[in-house]
Amino acid sequence: MIGSTHQRRPVRSPLLLTLALGFLAVFLLLPLITVFVEALAKGFGEYGAALVQPDAISAIKLTLLVAAISVPLNIVFGIAAAWAIAKFDFPGKSILTTFIDLPFSVSPVVAGLVYVLMFGMQGWFGPWLREHDIQIIFAVPGIVLATVFVTFPFVARELIPLMQEQGRDDEEAALSLGASGFQAFWRVTLPNIRWGLLYGVLLCNARAMGEFGAVSVVSGHLRGLTNTMPLHVEILYNEYNFVAAFAVASLLALLALLTLVLKSILEWRYGYNHGSAGH
Amino acid sequence: MITLDNISKHFGNFTALSGIDLAVRDGEFLALLGPSGSGKTTLLRIIAGLAFPDEGRVSFNGEDVTDLKVADRKVGFVFQHYALFKHMSVVDNVGFGLSVRRRGQRPLKADIRARAHELLDLVQLGGLGERYPAQLSGGQRQRVALARALAVEPQLLLLDEPFGALDAKVRKELRRWLRQLHEQMGLTSIFVTHDQEEALELADRVVVMDKGKIEQIGTPEEVYMAPRSGFVSGFVGDINSLAVTVVDGKTRWHDRMIDIDPDGAADGPARLDFRPHDVALGAEGSGSLPMVVTSAYRKGGDWRVEGTVGGAARVIEVDLPADGPQPRAGQRLSLRIGRGRLFREDEEARR
């Protein structure tokens, strides 16, 4: 479908091509290479040592933990929101659709500050939280909250147009054949959206691990306790510990590369599926 | 027997159905016929349990099923665009209804497959079980959808515009085949269509609907030959309408008397409906209509002649035996109407 309607013409202007590739090289490729060059500036020994340092390990662990909590939460919220918006009509639908986009339009720092205002010691729920000995800000729960907020749109936005396009027929067919609501979801809806969902999860995960702004505000930068990988990179850098900073940064860069590769594979699969399924 | 009692359904301010009463007999092949927006699909979905009425009751064999969900009604539903599960092979699609049964009622996997293959043979798709829906033609997909619906052994088969997305030739084949299948399996079937030809050819009885109401229920013969309203007359089959007046119990067109009995219609303006084949050439005179031909072409054994009468803008179509010469544009013909029906003019305005 895509291949037949968009006939690609060979690029006529070498100037245009050089410009595009040159831009790409200077602004994207060069920094990426720099990360690895700097990380390995003093050899693999130093590189490895920087990664097994206790603070680095705890930062990696925390990042993985935060992603492991916030990504599944966003899968559930995302599917629920997309399902409701795409398959049903209800009052307030357009407001919900707008709210899903809010995290994209609000600066992450502002999002972090809002959580501090709500759950911080001086915040709205501060006294109550203190009474019950619950700490959210400057602790893991706050980091998870901030991450869930900034990554909320990824899954939902990927699924809404897909589910709208698919309509309700398949689910109704499953129900008419005697399936329960859960069976219809598990055996019909989920397989129908699997590639789109995976794509959304991938982007969501990359952002969850890489988020800096919102997390920085709520984390408190306690080394070995509330530092995620991006925050740890900043601390090391500010301490002029370049090799260690770039070593940790290289892990994030690898994650980005892996995400891109998986994303391309999915796009190929997903685009292909899309084309052949049309009738 | 399926009974609908005073069914009404609204979507916001829009009245989709109002006061529908209908009884469907066992073993019957029933068509719901109407233009888009007439409520026919909504009615089908209410019978299925995919939609629920605001008022009224639905019962199957005397048992009230109004509040039962589709899964509990034992109906087979065939969707207009088939709604096959793209990620499943044909045989898994057909076996789906059996595979979602509760443990204890669910047949063994091998038995489900065997049953699915039997059904595929029945719909003449044996050997295509391992394919995926995307690898099938439109007509084949439609038959898979049918086999899938039949797998749960429904008492009632419901089809929403079953041939709407198919080309003319496949459509005709499938129609004949569906009719056979219906008789062979002893089903009760209801199908929705906007194609009057399809309804007349296939159904035992036709329910003609317009604007959320039933206009007429009858056999194809009754609906075609004795339309009960101006809407039915205009919707079922090709028809010509002529503005006439009833004066002293006689039909008048301008200053000419037309030989059609007003059948008790009150004096005043009326609409005369007649079919293209219910005319003959006759001598010019009081009982005839002067027609000016605009075009003529062969339609089977007849000339289908289009033209106007009395300078009216409305095109009149008539069929004349093709053993005569082909009428030419501009030629004047003198027509006599052999059979027609009068309707109140306000029914015309209602459309």
Side-chain angles (χ1 to χ4, degrees), chain B residues 331-346:
Chain B
Q331 189 178 341
R332 286 173 179 279
L333 299 175
S334 180
L335 302 178
R336 288 189 178 268
I337 302 172
R339 157 193 256 286
R341 286 184 158 259
L342 283 182
F343 296 96
R344 299 289 308 183
E345 192 58 40
D346 52 11

Side-chain angles (χ1 to χ4, degrees), chain A residues 166 168-180 183-184 187-189 191-192 194 276-279, chain B residues 45 50 70-71 75 77 79 81-88 93 96-97 99-101 134 141 148-149 152:
Chain A
Q166 287 172 350
R168 246 152 55 183
D169 277 8
D170 282 16
E171 282 81 11
E172 288 187 340
L175 294 176
S176 80
L177 293 165
S180 65
Q183 284 172 321
R187 297 194 45 189
V188 174
T189 309
N192 271 345
R194 60 191 160 178
S276 65
H279 40 199
Chain B
R45 291 172 59 85
L50 288 168
V70 59
V75 296
F77 199 99
F79 290 80
H81 299 290
Y82 324 125
L84 295 180
F85 308 132
K86 291 189 269 297
H87 59 283
M88 291 183 202
N93 262 284
F96 184 86
S99 73
V100 293
R101 285 203 180 155
R141 286 181 206 176
R148 186 177 68 175
V152 294

Side-chain angles (χ1 to χ4, degrees), chain A residues 248-271:
Chain A
V248 178
S250 72
L251 289 185
L252 287 171
L254 279 176
L255 170 74
L257 289 175
L258 186 70
T259 304
L260 280 181
V261 169
L262 289 175
K263 182 171 163 288
S264 309
I265 293 173
L266 277 182
E267 268 171 0
W268 177 74
R269 248 334 277 266
Y270 184 35

